[in-house]
Amino acid sequence: MEFEFIKDLDDYFCENYANYDKLCVLPGYKMPKMQATERRADGRDYAYTLPANTMRLALQENKTELLETLKSAMADKSFSFSFKPLGFFSALSRFSKNSHAKILQELLKKYSLTQENAKKELVIDEKTWKKICLGVYLPTKNLVFSLALTARFSYEDTVALLGAYGMEFDYTLEREVVVSYLLKQKIYNQEMVKSALDEYNVSNLFITWL
């Protein structure tokens, strides 16, 4: 099933995807001029390097063809069912009022979810999930994304939860650009989420219906 929003997702991806090493080797990609000069008040010309986002796909005339080439080679290699226990000192911090465990619990409460209800759409065993909720285990980034999409977290709340675990969105990774789009646009419908993830070959999320 095709959805009209995929075109908007493509535009967002071209504007935000930041793996320039991968972009610049695409057949047909034209390397932009990265150096410029500016005449300042003293009458002298000063050279400076343009920001890296000058290389973004959105600025390429043939961005549609380049994106299709990029999509054809995409593969999600982020698979992991391994959850790390906290170290001794990190484990002690889980009792503080700003611990990641408390932030997770506050978010679940904000979205009217119990631990049990939040787990229903997640592919994770009950024992591990409880330890994550207690702050004994750290979740993987993919689990945070899975929870955000199934619990319908806002993009801002997802950023806050990632930050509590010492993580953030990485726009050099295709998966994270796509997930950020879905959250920013509040797209939680299962078929629409599937369509977006399939379009960019995103897999390895902990969601029962994927």
Side-chain angles (χ1 to χ4, degrees):
M1 181 183 296
E2 294 185 2
F3 292 95
E4 291 184 2
F5 80 92
I6 294 296
K7 176 61 170 62
D8 187 55
L9 169 57
D10 288 343
D11 290 341
Y12 176 89
F13 188 91
C14 288
E15 188 65 40
N16 291 277
Y17 184 61
N19 191 332
Y20 304 122
D21 289 337
K22 187 176 288 188
L23 289 179
C24 70
V25 298
L26 290 173
Y29 181 90
K30 294 183 179 180
M31 192 67 185
K33 182 180 178 181
M34 298 301 294
Q35 297 289 327
T37 58
E38 176 186 358
R39 178 156 294 184
R40 299 184 182 173
D42 60 7
R44 296 182 180 180
D45 290 333
Y46 291 86
Y48 62 95
T49 301
L50 294 171
N53 63 13
T54 302
M55 298 173 66
R56 65 188 182 275
L57 204 53
L59 297 178
Q60 295 285 310
E61 290 184 7
N62 57 336
K63 66 177 184 179
T64 301
E65 292 79 8
L66 290 171
L67 179 59
E68 288 306 311
T69 300
L70 183 63
K71 283 181 181 180
S72 68
M74 286 180 184
D76 196 338
K77 300 177 181 179
S78 61
F79 181 79
S80 175
F81 272 94
S82 176
F83 298 93
K84 296 179 180 179
L86 274 68
F88 177 73
F89 291 107
S90 296
L92 289 178
S93 69
R94 69 189 176 95
F95 297 106
S96 71
K97 66 178 181 179
N98 293 319
S99 72
H100 46 73
K102 285 187 170 57
I103 291 173
L104 173 58
Q105 293 300 329
E106 288 171 1
L107 275 179
L108 293 180
K109 183 177 180 181
K110 176 179 178 179
Y111 289 86
S112 302
L113 289 168
T114 63
Q115 288 181 199
E116 292 73 20
N117 287 336
K119 178 191 172 300
K120 285 182 179 179
E121 293 183 83
L122 299 178
V123 182
I124 186 172
D125 67 89
E126 186 174 348
K127 182 178 179 181
T128 301
W129 175 242
K130 284 183 177 179
K131 287 190 175 183
I132 288 172
C133 291
L134 288 171
V136 178
Y137 282 2
L138 286 174
T140 62
K141 192 184 277 190
N142 279 5
L143 181 63
V144 175
F145 291 154
S146 301
L147 176 61
L149 289 170
T150 56
R152 300 183 173 228
F153 286 176
S154 69
Y155 172 78
E156 293 75 16
D157 283 338
T158 305
V159 168
L161 184 58
L162 286 170
Y165 292 116
M167 299 182 285
E168 61 184 7
F169 275 98
D170 182 352
Y171 286 82
T172 67
L173 299 176
E174 295 92 340
R175 176 189 65 256
E176 304 198 17
V177 179
V178 175
V179 171
S180 73
Y181 172 84
L182 293 171
L183 295 175
K184 286 180 179 179
Q185 298 302 317
K186 297 180 171 58
I187 296 174
Y188 308 110
N189 174 274
Q190 292 184 12
E191 293 305 316
M192 294 176 74
V193 170
K194 286 180 185 178
S195 179
L197 299 181
D198 288 345
E199 183 72 18
Y200 283 83
N201 292 321
V202 176
S203 57
N204 302 326
L205 292 179
F206 295 80
I207 299 177
T208 58
W209 37 266
L210 291 180

mmCIF file of all heavy atoms in Angstrom, residues 30 57-66:
data_model
loop_
_atom_site.group_PDB
_atom_site.id
_atom_site.type_symbol
_atom_site.label_atom_id
_atom_site.label_comp_id
_atom_site.label_asym_id
_atom_site.label_seq_id
_atom_site.Cartn_x
_atom_site.Cartn_y
_atom_site.Cartn_z
ATOM 1 N N LYS A 30 27.136 15.408 -7.426
ATOM 2 C CA LYS A 30 28.074 16.473 -7.767
ATOM 3 C C LYS A 30 28.563 17.146 -6.488
ATOM 4 O O LYS A 30 27.776 17.761 -5.766
ATOM 5 C CB LYS A 30 27.399 17.497 -8.681
ATOM 6 C CG LYS A 30 27.039 16.934 -10.048
ATOM 7 C CD LYS A 30 26.438 17.990 -10.946
ATOM 8 C CE LYS A 30 26.108 17.406 -12.326
ATOM 9 N NZ LYS A 30 25.514 18.441 -13.223
ATOM 10 N N LEU A 57 21.540 16.125 0.432
ATOM 11 C CA LEU A 57 20.921 15.638 -0.795
ATOM 12 C C LEU A 57 19.918 16.631 -1.370
ATOM 13 O O LEU A 57 19.738 16.720 -2.589
ATOM 14 C CB LEU A 57 20.226 14.298 -0.497
ATOM 15 C CG LEU A 57 20.000 13.326 -1.645
ATOM 16 C CD1 LEU A 57 21.294 13.039 -2.391
ATOM 17 C CD2 LEU A 57 19.392 12.042 -1.103
ATOM 18 N N ALA A 58 19.283 17.404 -0.514
ATOM 19 C CA ALA A 58 18.255 18.338 -0.962
ATOM 20 C C ALA A 58 18.789 19.381 -1.936
ATOM 21 O O ALA A 58 18.020 19.955 -2.717
ATOM 22 C CB ALA A 58 17.631 19.038 0.253
ATOM 23 N N LEU A 59 20.092 19.638 -1.907
ATOM 24 C CA LEU A 59 20.686 20.663 -2.766
ATOM 25 C C LEU A 59 21.180 20.112 -4.102
ATOM 26 O O LEU A 59 21.700 20.864 -4.923
ATOM 27 C CB LEU A 59 21.836 21.349 -2.029
ATOM 28 C CG LEU A 59 21.440 22.110 -0.758
ATOM 29 C CD1 LEU A 59 22.665 22.714 -0.088
ATOM 30 C CD2 LEU A 59 20.412 23.192 -1.066
ATOM 31 N N GLN A 60 21.040 18.818 -4.317
ATOM 32 C CA GLN A 60 21.435 18.204 -5.580
ATOM 33 C C GLN A 60 20.288 18.308 -6.594
ATOM 34 O O GLN A 60 19.134 18.034 -6.271
ATOM 35 C CB GLN A 60 21.796 16.740 -5.366
ATOM 36 C CG GLN A 60 23.027 16.519 -4.502
ATOM 37 C CD GLN A 60 24.315 16.821 -5.242
ATOM 38 O OE1 GLN A 60 24.541 16.340 -6.354
ATOM 39 N NE2 GLN A 60 25.179 17.620 -4.621
ATOM 40 N N GLU A 61 20.604 18.719 -7.819
ATOM 41 C CA GLU A 61 19.567 18.866 -8.839
ATOM 42 C C GLU A 61 18.868 17.546 -9.125
ATOM 43 O O GLU A 61 17.669 17.519 -9.412
ATOM 44 C CB GLU A 61 20.180 19.423 -10.129
ATOM 45 C CG GLU A 61 20.615 20.883 -10.016
ATOM 46 C CD GLU A 61 21.115 21.426 -11.342
ATOM 47 O OE1 GLU A 61 21.003 20.701 -12.366
ATOM 48 O OE2 GLU A 61 21.617 22.558 -11.355
ATOM 49 N N ASN A 62 19.603 16.459 -9.092
ATOM 50 C CA ASN A 62 19.048 15.133 -9.381
ATOM 51 C C ASN A 62 18.796 14.354 -8.098
ATOM 52 O O ASN A 62 19.048 13.146 -8.022
ATOM 53 C CB ASN A 62 19.974 14.351 -10.301
ATOM 54 C CG ASN A 62 21.377 14.195 -9.720
ATOM 55 O OD1 ASN A 62 21.798 15.003 -8.890
ATOM 56 N ND2 ASN A 62 22.093 13.169 -10.144
ATOM 57 N N LYS A 63 18.288 15.032 -7.066
ATOM 58 C CA LYS A 63 18.132 14.407 -5.748
ATOM 59 C C LYS A 63 17.216 13.183 -5.785
ATOM 60 O O LYS A 63 17.427 12.230 -5.039
ATOM 61 C CB LYS A 63 17.614 15.421 -4.725
ATOM 62 C CG LYS A 63 16.197 15.925 -4.978
ATOM 63 C CD LYS A 63 15.738 16.875 -3.879
ATOM 64 C CE LYS A 63 14.289 17.300 -4.096
ATOM 65 N NZ LYS A 63 13.828 18.221 -3.018
ATOM 66 N N THR A 64 16.196 13.206 -6.647
ATOM 67 C CA THR A 64 15.255 12.080 -6.700
ATOM 68 C C THR A 64 15.962 10.812 -7.162
ATOM 69 O O THR A 64 15.806 9.748 -6.553
ATOM 70 C CB THR A 64 14.085 12.389 -7.654
ATOM 71 O OG1 THR A 64 13.404 13.566 -7.193
ATOM 72 C CG2 THR A 64 13.105 11.226 -7.692
ATOM 73 N N GLU A 65 16.754 10.923 -8.210
ATOM 74 C CA GLU A 65 17.488 9.764 -8.718
ATOM 75 C C GLU A 65 18.537 9.299 -7.711
ATOM 76 O O GLU A 65 18.721 8.091 -7.502
ATOM 77 C CB GLU A 65 18.160 10.107 -10.043
ATOM 78 C CG GLU A 65 17.196 10.352 -11.195
ATOM 79 C CD GLU A 65 16.568 11.733 -11.168
ATOM 80 O OE1 GLU A 65 17.002 12.572 -10.338
ATOM 81 O OE2 GLU A 65 15.637 11.969 -11.959
ATOM 82 N N LEU A 66 19.214 10.246 -7.072
ATOM 83 C CA LEU A 66 20.228 9.901 -6.079
ATOM 84 C C LEU A 66 19.603 9.191 -4.882
ATOM 85 O O LEU A 66 20.157 8.222 -4.359
ATOM 86 C CB LEU A 66 20.962 11.151 -5.616
ATOM 87 C CG LEU A 66 21.894 11.802 -6.639
ATOM 88 C CD1 LEU A 66 22.386 13.160 -6.120
ATOM 89 C CD2 LEU A 66 23.083 10.892 -6.931
#
